[in-house]
């Protein structure tokens, strides 16, 4: 119904440019306005239903059908706008109003529907939804402002996933706590004598950490597999691994200078070797 309404409006506007009769032109404009009002009312009604009862994400963290449907309509409307013979300033203005009425309520409904999820899953769901919206608007200059706003939101969702997943990996063996202790040591006493950083304690912590990421049948960062756009999935994985390598490097350097009798037993790989193993 929504596609038919907006398509009718565009067709009527196109036709009105070609009609010579001064009597028919006002009637066509009136019909165009009726189609526009009917379309906006139908769209608003659909968005209101989403806000009243936000549909939960699908199991693969993609948006539910009722949300994906609005994104599909957005793509169809962008295509109709691009192909219209209505002067650019008029059709771009009309589409900008439609986008304004769609994006904020749609994204707000998605935020509400993700609240029952943990922060990583919620961010991945929002990331997937935002990528779908960006894809729907891709290649249309008249949607550039909206696309820039969505790209900015996307960066925030990527950052949340990276922060959460890097922290989760570094919780294994409490290695994150060890890294913080190493980086904040005042140097007035050997690191090996600091409580919690004794050789046996630290070696056990590193052992558990290694087992969690290199052990048999370990699936590293499984949540990242739910990011549906390959480019962003690879970006998130790369940034998480960079965080982990950076943390290991701090620990490795501190152990090398921390008064341990045999540092290589505690931190068995150089940062370069550790990074290679993670690839």
């Amino acid at each position: 119904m929504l596609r038919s309404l907006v398509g009718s409006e565009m067709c009527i506007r196109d036709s009105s440019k070609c009609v010579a009769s001064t009597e028919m032109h006002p009637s066509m404009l009136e019909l165009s306005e009726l189609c526009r009002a009917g379309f906006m009312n139908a769209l608003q009604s659909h968005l209101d239903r989403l806000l009243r009862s936000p549909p939960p994400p699908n199991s693969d963290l993609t948006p539910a059908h009722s949300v994906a449907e609005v994104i599909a309509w957005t793509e169809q409307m962008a295509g109709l706008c691009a192909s219209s013979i209505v002067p650019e300033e008029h059709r771009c203005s009309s589409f900008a109003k439609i986008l304004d009425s769609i994006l904020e309520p749609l994204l707000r409904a998605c935020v509400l529907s993700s609240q029952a999820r943990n922060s990583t899953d919620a961010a991945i769901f929002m990331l997937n939804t935002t990528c779908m919206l960006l894809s729907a608007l891709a290649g249309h200059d008249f949607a550039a402002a909206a696309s820039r706003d969505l790209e900015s939101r996307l960066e925030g969702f990527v950052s949340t996933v990276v922060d959460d997943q890097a922290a989760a990996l570094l919780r294994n063996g409490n290695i994150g706590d060890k890294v913080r202790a190493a980086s904040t040591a005042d140097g007035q006493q050997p690191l090996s004598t600091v409580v919690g950083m004794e050789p046996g304690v630290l070696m056990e912590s590193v052992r558990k950490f290694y087992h969690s990421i290199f052990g048999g049948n370990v699936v590293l960062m499984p949540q990242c597999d739910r990011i549906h756009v390959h480019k962003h999935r690879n970006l998130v994985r790369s940034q998480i691994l960079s965080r982990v390598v950076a943390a290991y490097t701090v620990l490795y350097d501190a152990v090398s200078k921390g008064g341990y009798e045999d540092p290589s037993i505690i931190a068995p790989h150089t940062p370069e070797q550790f990074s290679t193993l993670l690839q």
Side-chain angles (χ1 to χ4, degrees), residues 192-230:
S192 60
T193 64
V194 173
V195 175
M197 300 296 286
E198 301 92 341
V201 174
L202 188 54
M203 186 165 60
E204 178 64 12
S205 180
V206 172
R207 185 193 68 78
K208 290 180 179 178
F209 174 62
Y210 265 55
H211 180 74
S212 70
I213 58 176
F214 300 129
N217 300 319
V218 170
V219 178
L220 202 59
M221 300 178 289
Q223 289 86 343
C224 291
D225 292 336
R226 292 170 147 188
I227 299 174
H228 283 251
V229 174
H230 182 74

Side-chain angles (χ1 to χ4, degrees), residues 14-129:
D14 289 352
S15 299
S16 69
K17 300 298 175 181
C18 305
V19 174
S21 170
T22 56
E23 295 180 359
M24 290 184 66
H25 187 229
S27 297
M28 285 192 169
L29 290 178
E30 290 173 6
L31 186 55
S32 173
E33 179 58 27
L34 284 173
C35 285
R36 187 200 67 79
F39 164 73
M40 294 302 293
N41 287 337
L43 177 63
Q44 189 60 54
S45 176
H46 187 87
L47 291 169
D48 286 345
R49 285 196 298 273
L50 289 180
L51 286 167
R52 284 195 304 270
S53 183
N58 294 327
S59 59
D60 62 353
L61 298 182
T62 55
H65 173 73
S66 54
V67 173
E69 193 173 33
V70 177
I71 297 174
W73 291 335
T74 303
E75 183 172 13
Q76 292 167 0
M77 287 182 287
L80 287 168
C81 180
S83 62
S84 172
I85 64 172
V86 173
E88 184 176 358
E89 61 183 58
H90 295 302
R91 56 189 164 94
C92 290
S93 174
S94 296
F95 187 70
K97 291 176 183 177
I98 293 173
L99 267 185
D100 287 343
S101 68
I102 290 175
L103 292 183
E104 283 303 323
L106 181 65
L107 290 171
R108 191 161 66 249
C110 289
V111 169
L112 291 172
S113 70
S114 68
Q115 288 181 342
R117 300 277 183 162
N118 62 49
S119 60
T120 296
D121 283 357
I124 291 175
F125 166 64
M126 293 302 299
L127 191 159
N128 286 335
T129 303

Side-chain angles (χ1 to χ4, degrees), residues 95-173:
F95 187 70
K97 291 176 183 177
I98 293 173
L99 267 185
D100 287 343
S101 68
I102 290 175
L103 292 183
E104 283 303 323
L106 181 65
L107 290 171
R108 191 161 66 249
C110 289
V111 169
L112 291 172
S113 70
S114 68
Q115 288 181 342
R117 300 277 183 162
N118 62 49
S119 60
T120 296
D121 283 357
I124 291 175
F125 166 64
M126 293 302 299
L127 191 159
N128 286 335
T129 303
T130 304
C131 283
M132 290 175 66
L133 281 166
L134 282 167
S135 178
L137 300 176
H140 299 299
D141 291 341
F142 49 78
S147 294
R148 285 193 297 271
D149 177 64
L150 290 170
E151 289 282 2
S152 178
R153 293 172 187 258
L154 190 68
E155 290 175 4
F157 301 137
V158 167
S159 180
T160 296
V161 178
V162 171
D163 289 346
D164 286 355
Q165 290 303 289
L169 288 173
L170 294 172
R171 280 195 292 271
N172 293 310

